Amino acid sequence: MADAKVIPFDDDRSRARRRPVRAEGEAAAVRALPGPQQAPEESGEPGAPEAASEASEAASGNPGASGGSGWERRLASGLAFLRRRVTGEYEVDEFGYDEELTDQVLMSLLRPLYEKYFRVEVKGVENIPAKGGALIVANHSGTLPLDGLMMQVAVHDHHPAGRHLRLLAADLVFVLPVVNELARKAGHTLACAEDAERLLRAGEIVGVMPEGFKGIGKPFGERYKLQRFGRGGFVSTALRAGVPIVPCSIVGAEEIYPMLGNARTLARVLGFPYFPLTPTFPWLGPLGALPLPTKWTIQFGEPIETDSYAPEAAEDPMLMFNLTDQVREQIQHTLYKLLVQRRSVFF
């Protein structure tokens, strides 16, 4: 089986720790994340538009052809995709992100849940920059972290520039079999300052949910009440990278699994941060894991700029506290506003 290409972020720095360099069953190539000035359309290199066109034709499996029926083009594209998977002619970056697999497979699997089941309404997506890095900070809820995945689809499908969201995830995600591989392929990485800053400096959109397990594991009676946002580490990271912070408020996720209790002893035995007890789980077995079909709204707020601060501002604890509080208050205010506006949990 052929090797897929791996392109490092830097030629002069090794990133051996935690970075998968192989796809399942095959050697996958690692590609560097482009910096903000390295996008093909901005590079100024001769032939960049032609290269993009060739890549688009290759992805369609029908180079140079604009005719043919829709099913023929889809079949050709699917066969070309499978060929690249088998031969290893695809790329992943050093974090394991597989853009082609995410676009063609993972987003296609999540889209019916997003469009038909939760019927997500997106507002303010234009507040996400068209280019360069940005840090999206959102509330976290829902017992299972489906809100992060729905936010990823929202950015992917609705942003005018077709941007991709790179989510920061908890350690637990990367120790679970299968989930670990899928998370890496979808562009998620460990929630640590080093990885976040590296992605932001490379011009990526990064998503973080500072409430963590406190947010998704809170009782139903505390729904839409933001938990503590930590010590402002995400603000410090945004300041060091010089990127804007985009607050994001998600309404609808709190009701998909109404958490009425927490079996703490069982959670400790299983190594989970909590073990939820809902009206249907675990009483109905696997059927109880089916989320309720609530109606969601995701709103991206106006960005909070950070590029005007000096580099040493990232070490100022008072500034960290003030900016963290500003982001938290903006998200909480928008949550209350959206709750007042919605007609029903399900419609």
Side-chain angles (χ1 to χ4, degrees), residues 248-267:
C248 177
S249 302
I250 304 173
V251 164
E254 292 277 18
E255 294 89 1
I256 61 174
Y257 297 110
M259 185 169 163
L260 305 180
N262 177 17
R264 291 184 173 83
T265 301
L266 186 55

Side-chain angles (χ1 to χ4, degrees), residues 259-332:
M259 185 169 163
L260 305 180
N262 177 17
R264 291 184 173 83
T265 301
L266 186 55
R268 284 195 295 269
V269 170
L270 297 175
F272 295 158
Y274 57 88
F275 189 89
L277 302 176
T278 76
T280 58
F281 183 83
W283 330 113
L284 299 183
L287 185 62
L290 186 68
L292 296 178
T294 59
K295 174 73 170 65
W296 288 34
T297 301
I298 299 178
Q299 179 162 333
F300 299 97
E302 294 186 6
I304 298 171
E305 301 295 339
T306 65
D307 54 1
S308 61
Y309 293 98
E312 59 271 16
E315 308 302 326
D316 184 347
M318 186 57 66
L319 178 62
M320 296 301 100
F321 175 81
N322 290 337
L323 286 177
T324 300
D325 193 54
Q326 180 183 349
V327 174
R328 188 179 183 278
E329 287 301 315
Q330 187 169 334
I331 294 172
Q332 184 70 82

Side-chain angles (χ1 to χ4, degrees), residues 211-233:
E211 292 176 282
F213 290 123
K214 299 189 299 294
I216 55 175
K218 63 178 177 285
F220 187 64
E222 297 180 15
R223 60 192 180 278
Y224 299 115
K225 296 178 181 177
L226 292 183
Q227 305 298 299
R228 187 170 175 267
F229 264 25
R231 300 177 181 177

